[in-house]
Amino acid sequence: MIETLKLDQIRMDGDTQSRVSIHEATVAEYAECLTEGVELPPVVVFFDGINYFVGDGFHRLLANARIGAVTLNADVRPGTVREAKMHAYGANQAHGLRRTNADKHKAVAGMLEL
């Protein structure tokens, strides 16, 4: 379900980022798009009843923070940090910033740990 969440409600500290690092040029590009009025797809978060964990959309979330946004649209799904990680490991196979070989390795290693 698409909901409007405050950025500070969304946890980025659950080790759900499947990438090795944030690609700053992508954050900057998305931030520029947002300031020009482009609506980016909602981030995907998993809600365990208390916490919202990012499953997909770290770069979009950071772009919103960069431009000073307080809220953003999120596709809220029921689940724990584990479901957020599982979703993250499969994200960006066909859209968004393509995964590097190091990102793919991190995703495989993360799946093996679950």
Side-chain angles (χ1 to χ4, degrees):
M1 173 183 348
I2 305 299
E3 297 181 29
T4 300
L5 299 178
K6 291 183 178 179
L7 268 64
D8 64 6
Q9 288 179 277
I10 303 171
R11 299 205 36 194
M12 296 180 65
D13 63 343
D15 194 31
T16 61
Q17 170 58 279
S18 67
R19 294 186 185 280
V20 173
S21 63
I22 295 296
H23 191 258
E24 289 298 326
T26 299
V27 174
E29 179 184 340
Y30 290 174
E32 183 177 334
C33 289
L34 290 168
T35 60
E36 292 173 355
V38 175
E39 188 172 332
L40 300 176
V43 299
V44 177
V45 299
F46 289 80
F47 183 58
D48 66 5
I50 298 171
N51 297 298
Y52 295 92
F53 290 100
V54 181
D56 183 25
F58 273 87
H59 289 85
R60 285 171 278 153
L61 181 67
L62 291 169
N64 274 276
R66 182 168 291 177
I67 66 164
V70 176
T71 62
L72 82 164
N73 288 333
D75 178 355
V76 179
R77 302 175 184 187
T80 65
V81 68
R82 183 177 191 277
E83 282 80 21
K85 287 179 182 182
M86 289 175 50
H87 183 85
Y89 296 142
N92 300 117
Q93 291 183 25
H95 64 73
L97 177 64
R98 302 298 277 179
R99 295 184 295 178
T100 65
N101 286 337
D103 294 338
K104 292 173 189 176
H105 176 75
K106 181 180 178 187
V108 170
M111 287 297 290
L112 293 173
E113 291 175 4
L114 292 177

